[in-house]
Amino acid sequence: AKRAPSTRVVAVSAALQQALRRCDGFARHTGPVLLFGEDGTGRAALARRLHENGPRGASPFLRLDCAGGDSATLAWELEGEAGDGTSGMLARAAGGTLLLAGIEALPPALQMETLRLVRDGAWRRRCDGGEMAPDVRIMATAGDGLAALAEAGRFRPDLYFRLRLMTVRVAPLRERKQDVLPLLDHFLSRLEGSTLTARSVFDVAALTAMAEHHWPGNVAELEAVAQQAWLCRRHGLPVVVRRDETGDCLVIDDTAEVAEARNPRLSGSALQSLIARTGGNKARAARQLGVSRMTL
C-alpha cells in the first residue's frame, strides 16, 4: 500500500497549491526535478514530500549542500572513502533520492559528473577513476537566476536543460500572504508543549504588520518569528513585533526579556497570566522565570 507523505506542507495560497499539484504529478516518475525560487521558501520540504509521495518514498532521502565545500570535499561526500563503495551519499541513497541543494554552486568538475549521472546513470569516482551506477533519483534546488547562469556559461547549459525536464517554481512568501497565518499556526504547534495559535499569541497590530510584511527571509524568517514568540510566552513576557535594525526583517522585541534578566520583575498582568498558565503554582512560575519564589 502506498504510504502517505510524512512531510507536511502548508498550502492555502493558489501559488503553493499549484506547486504541490506539480510535485504530485512528478512523484510517480524517476527523472530529475528542479525546484527553483528564493532561499527560505521551502523548496527542500517540497522535494522531500515529492520523494515521499513516489515509489521511492520508503527509501533514503539525502541532501547535499552544494555550497558546502570545494569539489574535492563534495566529491568525498558523494563517493565516500577510496575503495569503500558504501559510505558516500550516492551509495547510501540507493533506491531513493539525492537532493542537490543550491546546485548553482556545484563546482564545474562535478557538474560534468552530475550530467553523466542524470543522462547515463553513471558516475566516475575521482578517488580511483572507477565507475559507479548509482540507483538514485536526482532532485535539485536553485535560485531564480540559474537560467541566466546557464546562458552566460557559468553553469553547464546541457546539465541545466536535463535538470529542467520537470520544474517546480516555489513562490516567495510575499506572493502568497494567505499562507502566513496558517504557517504561524503550524510552526507554533510544532514547538514542545505548545498549544498556541497565531491569534492567541499576536495582537491585531502584529498580525496586520505580518500580513503586510514583504518577508525577505521567506518561510525561514516566519519560523524564526514564531520561535521567538513562543520563547517570550514561556517566560511570561509580552509578544511585541518590531522591525530589526535594517528595517527589513520582523523580529520579536526582546528588550523586555533582557531587562528582566537583570532585574526580574514583570508587570502585574504578565505575572497573573504566567501564574494562571501554571495552574496557580507560584513555585513553578518562579522556575520558569529563573527566579526564587520569594523574588516572584
Side-chain angles (χ1 to χ4, degrees):
K2 183 179 177 182
R3 300 190 317 168
S6 60
T7 300
R8 184 185 174 199
V9 176
V10 177
V12 175
S13 65
L16 198 55
Q17 287 182 2
Q18 181 182 23
L20 275 178
R21 285 194 296 270
R22 289 181 69 84
C23 287
D24 291 344
F26 295 154
R28 65 181 182 272
H29 299 290
T30 59
V33 179
L34 175 64
L35 300 101
F36 65 95
E38 296 178 7
D39 288 345
T41 50
R43 298 166 300 180
L46 276 174
R48 181 179 287 276
R49 185 183 186 280
L50 196 161
H51 160 78
E52 293 171 351
N53 212 22
R56 293 173 175 260
S59 298
F61 176 91
L62 299 184
R63 167 179 173 158
L64 175 71
D65 289 312
C66 297
D70 56 21
S71 59
T73 301
L74 294 174
W76 178 83
E77 294 240 18
L78 289 166
E79 301 168 9
E81 298 289 346
D84 180 358
T86 62
S87 62
M89 285 189 177
L90 289 170
R92 289 187 284 117
T97 299
L98 176 64
L99 175 66
L100 301 175
I103 197 170
E104 60 265 55
L106 192 68
L110 295 184
Q111 290 179 28
M112 179 62 223
E113 288 308 312
T114 303
L115 172 64
R116 294 183 68 240
L117 181 59
V118 298
R119 184 187 63 199
D120 307 323
W123 182 279
R124 183 182 294 108
R125 292 191 298 267
R126 287 168 57 103
C127 57
D128 58 11
E131 287 278 333
M132 301 173 62
D135 176 21
V136 295
R137 183 180 191 180
I138 295 297
M139 296 185 195
T141 65
D144 291 322
L146 185 60
L149 291 176
E151 185 176 352
R154 294 167 57 192
F155 187 87
R156 289 190 69 102
D158 45 5
L159 175 57
Y160 169 66
F161 289 118
R162 290 275 177 177
L163 290 173
R164 62 168 294 172
L165 175 66
M166 290 176 271
T167 61
V168 179
R169 178 181 183 264
V170 186
L173 192 54
R174 63 180 173 274
E175 293 181 11
R176 44 187 178 100
K177 295 293 184 64
Q178 303 96 318
D179 294 328
V180 171
L181 278 181
L183 278 168
L184 277 172
D185 287 340
H186 171 63
F187 291 138
L188 288 167
S189 70
R190 283 170 43 182
L191 295 166
E192 182 181 2
S194 174
T195 57
L196 300 173
T197 64
R199 288 183 173 85
S200 70
V201 173
F202 300 99
D203 60 19
V204 174
L207 292 173
T208 301
M210 287 187 282
E212 296 174 351
H213 186 50
H214 67 290
W215 299 107
N218 290 297
V219 178
E221 179 186 352
L222 182 65
E223 183 174 13
V225 169
Q227 291 171 340
Q228 291 173 324
W230 176 74
L231 287 170
C232 282
R233 285 292 291 257
R234 285 202 67 179
H235 288 87
L237 298 169
V239 178
V240 180
V241 175
R242 65 171 176 82
R243 296 193 181 277
D244 69 357
E245 293 78 8
T246 68
D248 292 330
C249 298
L250 285 181
V251 296
I252 301 301
D253 190 345
D254 58 359
T255 53
E257 186 171 4
V258 173
E260 297 308 329
R262 294 173 182 162
N263 185 14
R265 294 175 182 157
L266 292 174
S267 67
S269 59
L271 275 175
Q272 292 296 337
S273 175
L274 175 60
I275 293 170
R277 290 201 302 275
T278 62
N281 188 326
K282 295 182 180 179
R284 182 180 169 196
R287 285 195 300 272
Q288 288 189 15
L289 288 173
V291 300
S292 70
R293 189 177 186 283
M294 183 62 71
T295 301
L296 176 67

